[in-house]
C-alpha cells in the first residue's frame, strides 16, 4: 500500500482561536456543504485520490455547494453535472439572475465613525470626506472642513449584490477650485461577516456573542483583528483601517449586515 506524504500548513494561535469562535469544522461544513446536491456524496475512506481532489476543488475553489448568494466566482465559471462519476454538480437555475438584472442579497449599513491623523492636502490641513463603493453603487459622507481628525458618526447604506466583492473606501480632500485630492484608500472584505451571518441564522433568536472574525494580515488594511458579533439581535462588526497609498491616516467604521430574507 502506498503512503501519500503531505506537508501541513502551520496555523497561528489567532487563526486557531478564530476557527473555534465560528464553531470549528462543523460550522464550516454547514456553510460549504449547505447545497450538496442529491446524488453527490462526500468521499469516503475508500475513495481515490482523484475523487477526493475533485470534491475539495468543487467545495472550496468553485464553491459549488455554497448557498448561491455567498459565492464569489467568475461569471465564466461553469458547473459540471453529477454524472460519469464526477463529484461536482450543477447549480439550480432558480438562483440565476435574469439577464440585465442585479439580484441583491442584503443591505450593508456602514457607520463612518472617525478619521485619525489624515494627510494634509491644503496649506495646513484638509477638508476630508469618505466615499464608499460596492459595484456601481456609491455613497459618501459630509465634508468636514479643516480637520485631520474628523468625527463623522454618519451612517451610509449600500445594497449588496449576490456576486459581491470588497467594500471600497476612499478618503478625499474637498477643493472648491480644482479636482478633489485623494487622501488614501482601503478595502473591507465582506465575506467573513456575510458567511458568519448565514451560518448562524436569525440573530433575533440568539444571545449576544461573537460569531466570526476577520484577521489582520499583510494582505489587508486592518489595524487589528475585526470581530463579528451579534449585538441586540443585530449582526455588527467594528473595523479599524490603515489607509493605503498615502503617508498617514486611519478610519474607524461600524458595519451592520441586514439580509433581505430576514
Amino acid at each position: 500500500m502506498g503512503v501519500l506524504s503531505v506537508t501541513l500548513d502551520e496555523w497561528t494561535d489567532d487563526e486557531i482561536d478564530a476557527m473555534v469562535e465560528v464553531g470549528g469544522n462543523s460550522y464550516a461544513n454547514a456553510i460549504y456543504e449547505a447545497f450538496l446536491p442529491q446524488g453527490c456524496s462526500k468521499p469516503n475512506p475508500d475513495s481515490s485520490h482523484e475523487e477526493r481532489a475533485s470534491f475539495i476543488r468543487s467545495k472550496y475553489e468553485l464553491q459549488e455547494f455554497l448557498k448561491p448568494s455567498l459565492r464569489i466566482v467568475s461569471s465564466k465559471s461553469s458547473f459540471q453535472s453529477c454524472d460519469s462519476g464526477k463529484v461536482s454538480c450543477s447549480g439550480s437555475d432558480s438562483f440565476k439572475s435574469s439577464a440585465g438584472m442585479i439580484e441583491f442579497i442584503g443591505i450593508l449599513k456602514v457607520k463612518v465613525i472617525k478619521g485619525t491623523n489624515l494627510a494634509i492636502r491644503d496649506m495646513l490641513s484638509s477638508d476630508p470626506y469618505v466615499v464608499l463603493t460596492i459595484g456601481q453603487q456609491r455613497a459618501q459622507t459630509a465634508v468636514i472642513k479643516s480637520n485631520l481628525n474628523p468625527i463623522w458618526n454618519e451612517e451610509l447604506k449600500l445594497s449588496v449584490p449576490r456576486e459581491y466583492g470588497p467594500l471600497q473606501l476612499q478618503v478625499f480632500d474637498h477643493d472648491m477650485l480644482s479636482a478633489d485630492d485623494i487622501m488614501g484608500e482601503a478595502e473591507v472584505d465582506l465575506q467573513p461577516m456575510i458567511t458568519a451571518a448565514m451560518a448562524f441564522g436569525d440573530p433575533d433568536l440568539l444571545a449576544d456573542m461573537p460569531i466570526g472574525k476577520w484577521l489582520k494580515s499583510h494582505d489587508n488594511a486592518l489595524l487589528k483583528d475585526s470581530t463579528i458579533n451579534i449585538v441586540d439581535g443585530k449582526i455588527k462588526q467594528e473595523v479599524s483601517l490603515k489607509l493605503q497609498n498615502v503617508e498617514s491616516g486611519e478610519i474607524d467604521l461600524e458595519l451592520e449586515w441586514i439580509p433581505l430574507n430576514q
Side-chain angles (χ1 to χ4, degrees):
M1 178 181 293
V3 176
L4 180 64
S5 175
V6 297
T7 301
L8 299 178
D9 292 334
E10 293 185 2
W11 284 39
T12 66
D13 290 341
D14 286 341
E15 289 171 333
I16 293 172
D17 290 342
M19 189 64 176
V20 171
E21 280 193 23
V22 298
N25 196 51
S26 60
Y27 271 110
N29 285 338
I31 298 168
Y32 281 93
E33 297 175 8
F35 280 74
L36 190 66
Q38 186 175 4
C40 290
S41 58
K42 296 177 64 172
N44 57 53
D46 297 325
S47 298
S48 67
H49 173 71
E50 289 75 16
E51 290 172 329
R52 293 170 185 268
S54 178
F55 183 85
I56 291 171
R57 185 169 186 267
S58 296
K59 178 177 176 180
Y60 293 111
E61 181 181 349
L62 300 180
Q63 303 173 18
E64 292 183 11
F65 313 139
L66 266 176
K67 184 173 182 178
S69 61
L70 293 179
R71 292 176 186 154
I72 304 179
V73 296
S74 168
S75 59
K76 296 181 181 179
S77 296
S78 60
F79 299 150
Q80 297 172 315
S81 61
C82 268
D83 56 10
S84 303
K86 295 178 181 178
V87 176
S88 54
C89 312
S90 60
S92 170
D93 289 340
S94 63
F95 293 106
K96 294 181 180 178
S97 299
S98 301
M101 297 181 64
I102 299 176
E103 183 179 343
F104 295 100
I105 60 171
I107 303 296
L108 182 69
K109 290 184 179 180
V110 183
K111 186 176 184 180
V112 182
I113 299 173
K114 66 178 182 177
T116 303
N117 194 29
L118 299 183
I120 296 174
R121 288 294 180 266
D122 296 328
M123 290 294 292
L124 298 173
S125 188
S126 295
D127 305 321
Y129 65 94
V130 174
V131 174
L132 302 177
T133 306
I134 295 179
Q136 300 301 312
Q137 296 176 83
R138 185 177 185 271
Q140 73 177 59
T141 67
V143 175
I144 295 184
K145 295 288 187 179
S146 302
N147 198 327
L148 300 180
N149 297 285
I151 297 176
W152 284 281
N153 281 327
E154 185 172 345
E155 186 177 275
L156 306 175
K157 294 181 182 179
L158 294 159
S159 298
V160 178
R162 187 179 71 179
E163 296 185 7
Y164 61 89
L167 171 68
Q168 306 283 345
L169 179 148
Q170 294 175 302
V171 183
F172 289 93
D173 169 51
H174 178 69
D175 289 319
M176 294 293 294
L177 302 177
S178 62
D180 293 351
D181 300 313
I182 193 161
M183 299 171 61
E185 57 192 351
E187 289 187 349
V188 177
D189 185 359
L190 300 179
Q191 190 171 28
M193 171 180 259
I194 295 175
T195 301
M198 292 300 303
F200 280 82
D202 188 349
D204 286 327
L205 304 177
L206 301 172
D208 291 2
M209 63 178 179
I211 61 171
K213 185 177 287 188
W214 179 27
L215 296 176
K216 175 186 176 182
S217 76
H218 66 276
D219 294 323
N220 60 46
L222 282 177
L223 285 166
K224 58 184 178 181
D225 293 347
S226 176
T227 302
I228 302 147
N229 294 290
I230 294 178
V231 181
D232 296 330
K234 298 178 180 179
I235 301 167
K236 293 192 173 186
Q237 179 179 4
E238 294 182 355
V239 178
S240 296
L241 300 167
K242 179 177 176 59
L243 294 174
Q244 307 295 295
N245 303 316
V246 69
E247 56 269 30
S248 66
E250 301 172 3
I251 294 288
D252 289 328
L253 309 172
E254 182 184 75
L255 311 183
E256 180 182 344
W257 172 247
I258 305 174
L260 290 182
N261 60 358
Q262 183 172 304

